[in-house]
Amino acid sequence: MKLLTHNLLSSKSLKGVKVGYPLRIVAKDVKISECEFNKEFVKKIIPKLDWKVFVNAAVEIGQTSDLSDELIEDYEDDDDYLKKVHHLLMEVEIINGELICPETDRVFPISAGIPNLLLNENEVS
Amino acid sequence: MSLNEKNASELEFQHVHDVYENIASHFSETRQKPWPNVVKFLNKSKPGSIVLDVGCGNAKYFTNTSDIFQLGCDRSTQLAQICKNRNHQVFNCDCLQLPIRSNCVDLCISIAVLHHLATSDRRLKALKEINRVLAVGGQALVYVWAKEQCRNQNLSTYLKQSKINKPKAVSTPEVTKEFCVESIDINLPIHTNRSNFVHNDLLVPWKLNQKKEQENESKTHLRYYHVFEESELKLLCEQIDNCKVIDYYYDQGNWCVIFEKITI
């Protein structure tokens, strides 16, 4: 699971959950795999992110970076900045670990890189 | 067919989810070729688009482009594993509860998924979930199996593949076999493969190719299908307030809808 995927996931379908976002991450096994830097893609995806959630998730899984809580204004022209975002968003992958609902603490396992967000029938709102 | 929620979910569990877990690798071998009109829809993506495939199976609609972000989900852990092995982003969930925040997906496809849901309410709910996760202006393409497999004198690909149907017209099986789903005490007709549909709710056999000597007889799994009448899918979409049907068409034995989310 890449951090871009995490940025989109929510546990809002759980019974009693209002927002279910962001899911907390427990990373037991993190892999870095290089992938092509596509500047246009990164520029266009940034405004679609919940930026704070992204930056916090990177810290939560132990990835050091100097990205701050606030997105810089002129990121579109800053190649170094875009490359840092690309690395954290696309190259860092959680192979084994857990996603945890912020409201109910329900644990969703991540194994072999695949988060399992299937709910039992009695958990659905 | 009218089922309560509990029985519908039980039927889907036994005759959809469980079957896909058992046939995943064989199913994947037989599902390699993308349908051209689905690819055409996906080509609407722009750099930075977030594209979601609900019921992505073996990831046959994923491409290697770095221009867009492709994300798939499937109920089957085995099929998700196949996607992951192909290096795609995938997670497990049910299409009735997409674990995705609202208003963030630019393009969504759900190909041959909704016909596995056992009530009209559930099929509507799945469409509403897709619409919920779409960004305003985002579009979804949904394919479901049509009851009508012969339209304007053209046989669908599904019927053309039959040895019997080539080249004469379609024959209807004379006797319908039934199968009793004991846990919910309901009888469903077993479909004769590569023939026209007579019923709306039925079980379709999947014969597993067993390797020699493994087992003497090949194992057959029965998958549940609801096949759609001409306007059925469109009418479901029209029940959703904040979406607009952009296109509705018949493609190789499937009813297909493209809809767009118009407001939050």
Side-chain angles (χ1 to χ4, degrees), chain A residues 29-110:
Chain A
D29 193 358
V30 173
K31 191 178 92 181
I32 310 290
S33 39
E34 266 185 44
C35 71
E36 181 198 345
F37 170 64
N38 182 326
K39 185 176 170 181
E40 197 55 25
F41 171 79
V42 181
K43 270 162 59 176
K44 293 278 165 54
I45 204 79
I46 284 177
K48 297 181 182 182
L49 296 175
D50 186 316
W51 183 259
K52 283 200 171 100
V53 167
F54 165 56
V55 173
N56 289 341
V59 174
E60 206 175 3
I61 62 167
Q63 297 297 306
T64 49
S65 83
D66 49 8
L67 295 180
S68 76
D69 262 14
E70 296 295 328
L71 176 64
I72 63 167
E73 265 176 35
D74 46 358
Y75 65 84
E76 292 204 342
D77 305 313
D78 188 336
D79 275 18
D80 284 347
Y81 192 82
L82 293 175
K83 278 181 184 160
K84 275 179 206 164
V85 175
H86 162 76
H87 171 70
L88 290 172
L89 211 49
M90 305 304 288
E91 297 187 322
V92 177
E93 182 129 17
I94 297 144
I95 305 300
N96 291 301
E98 290 170 349
L99 291 170
I100 302 168
C101 168
E103 292 166 51
T104 64
D105 293 335
R106 159 72 145 95
V107 172
F108 302 99
I110 306 168

Side-chain angles (χ1 to χ4, degrees), chain A residues 1-2 4-5 7-10 12-13 21 36 38 40-41 44-45 48 50 93 112-118 121 124, chain B residues 6 9 47-50 66-69 71 75 80-81 84 89-94 97-101 104 106 132:
Chain A
M1 183 196 72
K2 295 181 198 278
L4 179 46
T5 300
N7 207 269
L8 304 174
L9 293 176
S10 133
K12 79 166 273 305
S13 297
Y21 185 82
E36 181 198 345
N38 182 326
E40 197 55 25
F41 171 79
K44 293 278 165 54
I45 204 79
K48 297 181 182 182
D50 186 316
E93 182 129 17
I114 307 171
N116 185 343
L117 294 126
L118 275 170
E121 224 172 311
V124 178
Chain B
K6 192 170 172 294
S9 138
S49 284
I50 295 174
S66 64
D67 287 340
I68 60 171
F69 183 60
L71 184 58
R75 189 81 173 57
Q81 193 61 59
K84 193 66 210 159
Q89 285 294 289
V90 64
F91 55 89
N92 288 119
C93 72
D94 196 289
Q97 297 98 27
L98 296 178
I100 296 277
R101 59 178 162 95
C104 68
D106 297 298
R132 177 183 67 79

Side-chain angles (χ1 to χ4, degrees), chain B residues 37-105:
Chain B
N37 284 325
V38 178
V39 174
K40 199 172 134 197
F41 174 81
L42 289 171
N43 286 340
K44 291 184 179 191
S45 67
K46 298 179 192 126
S49 284
I50 295 174
V51 180
L52 174 70
D53 187 345
V54 176
C56 63
N58 64 352
K60 80 168 178 176
Y61 289 108
F62 282 75
T63 60
N64 290 322
T65 174
S66 64
D67 287 340
I68 60 171
F69 183 60
Q70 301 167 96
L71 184 58
C73 60
D74 206 280
R75 189 81 173 57
S76 160
T77 53
Q78 303 277 330
L79 286 170
Q81 193 61 59
I82 292 171
C83 297
K84 193 66 210 159
N85 294 343
R86 296 177 176 178
N87 222 1
H88 298 303
Q89 285 294 289
V90 64
F91 55 89
N92 288 119
C93 72
D94 196 289
C95 65
L96 294 174
Q97 297 98 27
L98 296 178
I100 296 277
R101 59 178 162 95
S102 304
N103 312 308
C104 68
V105 172

